[in-house]
Amino acid sequence: MTDTVDRADEVREVERIIIRFAGDSGDGMQLTGDRFTSASALFGNDLATLPEFPAEIRAPAGTLAGVSAFQVHISDHDITTPGDAPNVLVAMNPAALKADLHTLESGGTVIINSDAFEERNLAKAGYEHNPLEDNTLDGYTVITAPMTSLTKEACKDLGVKPRDAERSKNFFALGLVSWLYSRPEEPTMLWIQEKFKGRDLVIAANEAAYRAGNAFGETAELSASRMTVRPAQLPAGTYTNINGNTALSWGLIAASQQAGLPLFLGSYPITPASDILHELSKHKNFGVRTFQAEDEIAAVGSALGASYGGHIGITTTSGPGVALKGETLGLAVSLELPLVVIDIQRGGPSTGLPTKTEAADLMMAMYGRHGEAPMPIVAASSPADCFDAAIEAVRIALEYRTPVMLLSDGYLANGTEPWKLPDIDSLPSIDIEFASELNGVDSEGREVYWPYVRNDDLARPWAIPGTEALMHRIGGIEKQDGTGNISYDPANHEFMVRLREERILKIADKLPPLEVMGDDDADILVVGWGSTWGAITSAVGRLRSGGTKVASVHLRHLYPFAPNLGELLQRFDHVVVPEMNLGQLTKLLRAEFLVDAKAISKVSGQPFTAAELVTKIQEVAR
Amino acid sequence: MSAVPVTTKKDWSSDQEVRWCPGCGDYSILTAMQLLMPELEVRREDTVFISGIGCAARFPYYMNTYGMHSIHGRSPAIATGLAMARPDLDVWVVGGDGDMLSIGGNHLIHALRRNINLTILLFNNQIYGLTKGQYSPTSEVGKVTKSTPMGSIDQPFNPISVALGAEATFVARTHDMDRGHMQEMFRRAHDHQGSAIVEVFQNCNVFNDGAFNAITKKDARDAMLINLTHGEPVRFGVDGERGVMIVDGTAKIVDVAEVGIDALHVHDETAPDPSVAFAISRLADDRESPTPVGVLRSVQRREYGESVSSQIAAAQDTKGPGDLHGLLRSLPTWDVS
Ligand code: SF4
């Protein structure tokens, strides 16, 4: 393909492109999008991705329910979202076109596999007329390619069966799109060889399909549509393209190394959290123990048991799983043992939208337990940020001997972005010491070990089984502070309930103050938490460059809040809170600080776009 | 490691006041355990008792070891995490029939099938004690309780059958009236590598008094308890006049005089297939018929914690110890200068 690169003068340069790959779930669009993303990452673009797949593993082929899409935003400058409206839609079948055409910007480009636009597929997608033949696509730039037949043709002489050849058509699409947007070929070829090692026919078919797609671009005289996006000027360093669940898994491993304690994950498979179980299972050489439990309750129970034994107990799940773990979390609060509960939120309630994103578990994280059972809450704000958020959650759990809730969501879990790899020497240190000494004197003057004696942070000592002379019993029944003996004394219970609240609030004492981004003298403060960070950052940037004064602040800690949040909120006339729920943080802010915070809600299973936020924030500004 | 210090019952007793109802069978189980521990040659600090909720679940408070009184039904799950993380510990799980067979039934069967190194003591009193007398999953059909004024309509679990169905590698039964037998079963369960479960018939003298009298009273035992001894024909009765035969996979009680001693089933606790042990467990559907006690099954299967540790060791062998710097660079990377 070197000759095409030589003709770079024909290629129009643009700052950014948003491409949406859409097809049937069996068409391999996730893989296509992922390969395009990787090639772009290695090329040096900044990027953000949004994979969207159906809940069914194999929804009926050709139907709207079976459409799987992958949106990628590539840019020559720093970006934080997978983009508003795509500029390019790749539609592998009529259902994909039907489902996603409305997302395309007006005048955008549609790339279509014309082979799939036959009667049966059109009917399944609900098209009465072939949209390639009526006025459906008027106003768009339309590129049609008979991808299936050209792929079969390209594979004809390789000895690949036609049915198998057909499966490579996604590589034809990738080849064509890569030619149109000047992506390097080499990373994809290397990947194909690595991925399908030992299956020579598959390698040959995929390579042939890719090249056929590439050649189609050239021969079909599509040069006018060619564009490229130059590498972004990112801060110097080594980068990798990472999704949230992988970053989160690595953050847990990093925290385990920083603390010098082994990691134990108790988990039960659930979308979209399972990939953390998969990822951590691959890293047993770090001493990681992973346990696929019989249910969500056993998952958290085993993690708590491991914590009792001196490991870092972790449990990963999504909303429905958190609901099941609630009773054990009450126990963990009472036992005052470290534990990290990771909730990769999804659309709810119940099974809801298991493959779509939402952030409506905040109130459950906050209050979803029996009794007064406060738990610190940490939230991740971008795919790469899941790494730091995981370390922070483990740090709080270990240092304060408490269960911690770590919130991520489906969008962060599967979305990717380039991540400048941290210097591992600069990671936060986590210093933990197990108890080894007797610490009390009983009524008969004997030295004893008391499990509920407290340090300056109000954390109790952590004496793990196996430690000589410190044998003691703990349990879920109310206990006397200090000795830990069972106590039904009314005054003691009142004292302990308040103490458990106080010791969690005290975590805020050592949190860094929040920093306001944007205009300090603005009237409007946008308060965000979780995955809305990207859209908020981008929207605030656009508003400011358009002359609107606006400030924003993003919360890492949802409980307790950073110490200066209240003072900060009071400084602005308007406080708006974009949330992928019906206003849960908004309610907490109003209750806690008596400010007139207003929610900007979205609960469609999709993340905010910056454009949506710009409009909503402007409404407030008016 | 220095030798295990010599201890006595007192060393294994905590300073907490025991709070079961006077006359409860739990007292004799606790005493049996506290007397047994010095003989097991283990350290108190390496011993952990984990329990759920119920009368039996108070047990850890009275042992001077590490202990956790957790939540209803979840003790096998919590103990599994602890045993996986810390294979160096001796982890005991104590609970009642409601705790382990009702709310925690799922955790129990999964702990048993995994063969994780836990010694599980199931105190079966066939009633809910702590909640004041509702029928339990082991109560007999027709039982009149506060929640079953017209009699229970639930088919009860036979805990031994459940454990064998879950392919537990060590399954035994004993009762609270015979300290020596309890200690023998506890010792064997403790020494077993993997999940071991011992059902202990336990009298709740407040809500279900005398539930086991017909079989465990001293003068009834010879006739009503079928003592299983490995390698011996299964025989019982005051003069050993009765025995057990396996006919077409079913266990049957026979008169020895009638069938001859050679026809009796010779107990083999190590039989790899649990079917015969299961057949024997079916002998008594109620607590008024001859009931098998002793070790029904004791087989060797890879212990779960050992498999966990060996996978970690194998991963470290092939990949080397974890290297965070390398991990962060394990996906394609690029440099920006
Ligand atoms: S209620 Fe029954 S089982 Fe519970 S302590 Fe009293 S006698 Fe024992």
Side-chain angles (χ1 to χ4, degrees), chain A residues 223-281:
Chain A
S223 297
S225 301
R226 287 196 86 189
M227 293 175 203
T228 191
V229 178
R230 287 200 159 277
Q233 280 310 309
L234 298 172
T238 300
Y239 283 76
T240 197
N241 186 40
I242 194 124
N243 70 42
N245 275 351
T246 308
L248 201 154
S249 308
W250 293 0
L252 294 173
I253 291 173
S256 146
Q257 300 259 304
Q258 293 304 97
L261 296 180
L263 199 67
F264 181 101
L265 173 71
S267 185
Y268 186 77
I270 185 170
T271 302
S274 305
D275 282 340
I276 302 172
L277 170 62
H278 305 160
E279 180 66 23
L280 285 176
S281 302

Side-chain angles (χ1 to χ4, degrees), chain A residues 238-239 282 294 466-467 473, chain B residues 45 65-66 114 319 334-335:
Chain A
T238 300
Y239 283 76
K282 290 195 289 200
E294 59 270 22
T467 314
R473 277 64 56 192
Chain B
E45 62 266 28
T65 62
Y66 284 88
R114 284 190 194 104
K319 295 189 192 172
W334 69 97
D335 289 317

Side-chain angles (χ1 to χ4, degrees), chain A residues 311-323:
Chain A
H311 285 221
I312 305 173
I314 309 281
T315 188
T316 47
T317 188
S318 190
V322 178

Side-chain angles (χ1 to χ4, degrees), chain B residues 19-21 23-26 55 125 129-130 202-207:
Chain B
R19 293 206 190 174
W20 288 308
C21 307
C24 174
D26 289 346
C55 295
N125 56 18
L130 197 63
Q202 175 244 322
N203 191 41
C204 168
N205 56 309
V206 173
F207 295 109

Side-chain angles (χ1 to χ4, degrees), chain A residues 134-422:
Chain A
D134 63 15
N135 57 3
T136 307
L137 297 174
D138 286 0
Y140 295 104
T141 304
V142 182
I143 299 173
T144 58
M147 297 189 194
T148 316
S149 44
L150 287 179
T151 301
K152 281 194 209 163
E153 180 67 26
C155 295
K156 198 175 58 190
D157 298 332
L158 300 172
V160 184
K161 290 197 203 91
R163 259 194 75 86
D164 293 342
E166 199 178 322
R167 280 206 227 119
S168 294
K169 65 178 180 295
N170 58 332
F171 280 94
F172 183 100
L174 182 60
L176 173 56
V177 176
S178 297
W179 181 84
L180 280 166
Y181 304 107
S182 315
R183 303 291 97 186
E185 169 184 304
E186 200 191 334
T188 301
M189 291 299 162
L190 284 176
W191 182 87
I192 290 174
Q193 277 152 25
E194 186 62 29
K195 173 82 182 175
F196 301 104
K197 196 180 259 166
R199 295 154 69 191
D200 291 347
L201 279 184
V202 180
I203 294 177
N206 287 340
E207 286 181 349
Y210 183 95
R211 296 213 163 95
N214 229 301
F216 180 86
E218 271 188 78
T219 51
E221 296 183 6
L222 298 175
S223 297
S225 301
R226 287 196 86 189
M227 293 175 203
T228 191
V229 178
R230 287 200 159 277
Q233 280 310 309
L234 298 172
T238 300
Y239 283 76
T240 197
N241 186 40
I242 194 124
N243 70 42
N245 275 351
T246 308
L248 201 154
S249 308
W250 293 0
L252 294 173
I253 291 173
S256 146
Q257 300 259 304
Q258 293 304 97
L261 296 180
L263 199 67
F264 181 101
L265 173 71
S267 185
Y268 186 77
I270 185 170
T271 302
S274 305
D275 282 340
I276 302 172
L277 170 62
H278 305 160
E279 180 66 23
L280 285 176
S281 302
K282 290 195 289 200
H283 302 299
K284 294 189 164 68
N285 59 324
F286 283 87
V288 176
R289 284 168 173 75
T290 55
F291 176 55
Q292 183 175 316
E294 59 270 22
D295 59 28
E296 295 279 1
I297 299 172
V300 66
S302 63
L304 185 61
S307 283
Y308 178 58
H311 285 221
I312 305 173
I314 309 281
T315 188
T316 47
T317 188
S318 190
V322 178
L324 285 165
K325 295 177 198 293
E327 188 195 17
T328 310
L329 299 184
L331 176 66
V333 167
S334 180
L335 295 181
E336 302 186 26
L337 279 172
L339 178 72
V340 178
V341 182
I342 299 168
D343 178 2
I344 313 297
Q345 301 164 92
R346 63 189 212 187
S350 191
T351 308
L353 302 176
T355 60
K356 305 280 190 246
T357 198
E358 201 163 280
D361 294 350
L362 177 57
M363 285 302 193
M364 176 164 66
M366 189 75 191
Y367 296 120
R369 290 169 294 285
H370 53 289
E372 295 287 355
M375 265 175 75
I377 306 169
V378 171
S381 59
S382 77
D385 182 59
C386 288
F387 181 84
D388 295 323
I391 296 176
E392 176 65 351
V394 172
R395 180 191 72 81
I396 293 175
L398 292 177
E399 290 182 357
Y400 293 89
R401 260 74 91 184
T402 175
V404 172
M405 192 73 74
L406 170 56
L407 299 179
S408 172
D409 62 36
Y411 166 46
L412 296 183
N414 295 311
T416 63
E417 65 177 346
W419 176 36
K420 180 170 172 296
L421 297 178

Side-chain angles (χ1 to χ4, degrees), chain A residues 61-183:
Chain A
T63 62
L64 291 178
V67 173
S68 173
F70 186 104
Q71 185 165 317
V72 54
H73 181 183
I74 57 173
S75 164
D76 69 357
H77 57 277
D78 193 8
I79 52 166
T80 58
T81 77
D84 301 340
N87 313 113
V88 182
L89 172 67
V90 178
M92 295 300 281
N93 69 359
L97 185 70
K98 180 109 180 182
D100 284 356
L101 184 62
H102 72 96
T103 65
L104 193 61
E105 67 169 359
S106 57
T109 300
V110 202
I111 300 172
I112 280 174
N113 175 16
S114 53
D115 285 334
F117 281 65
E118 39 81 30
E119 222 165 287
R120 257 170 57 100
N121 282 334
L122 290 167
K124 276 195 228 165
Y127 276 120
E128 278 174 25
H129 304 285
N130 189 341
L132 306 184
E133 289 160 10
D134 63 15
N135 57 3
T136 307
L137 297 174
D138 286 0
Y140 295 104
T141 304
V142 182
I143 299 173
T144 58
M147 297 189 194
T148 316
S149 44
L150 287 179
T151 301
K152 281 194 209 163
E153 180 67 26
C155 295
K156 198 175 58 190
D157 298 332
L158 300 172
V160 184
K161 290 197 203 91
R163 259 194 75 86
D164 293 342
E166 199 178 322
R167 280 206 227 119
S168 294
K169 65 178 180 295
N170 58 332
F171 280 94
F172 183 100
L174 182 60
L176 173 56
V177 176
S178 297
W179 181 84
L180 280 166
Y181 304 107
S182 315
R183 303 291 97 186

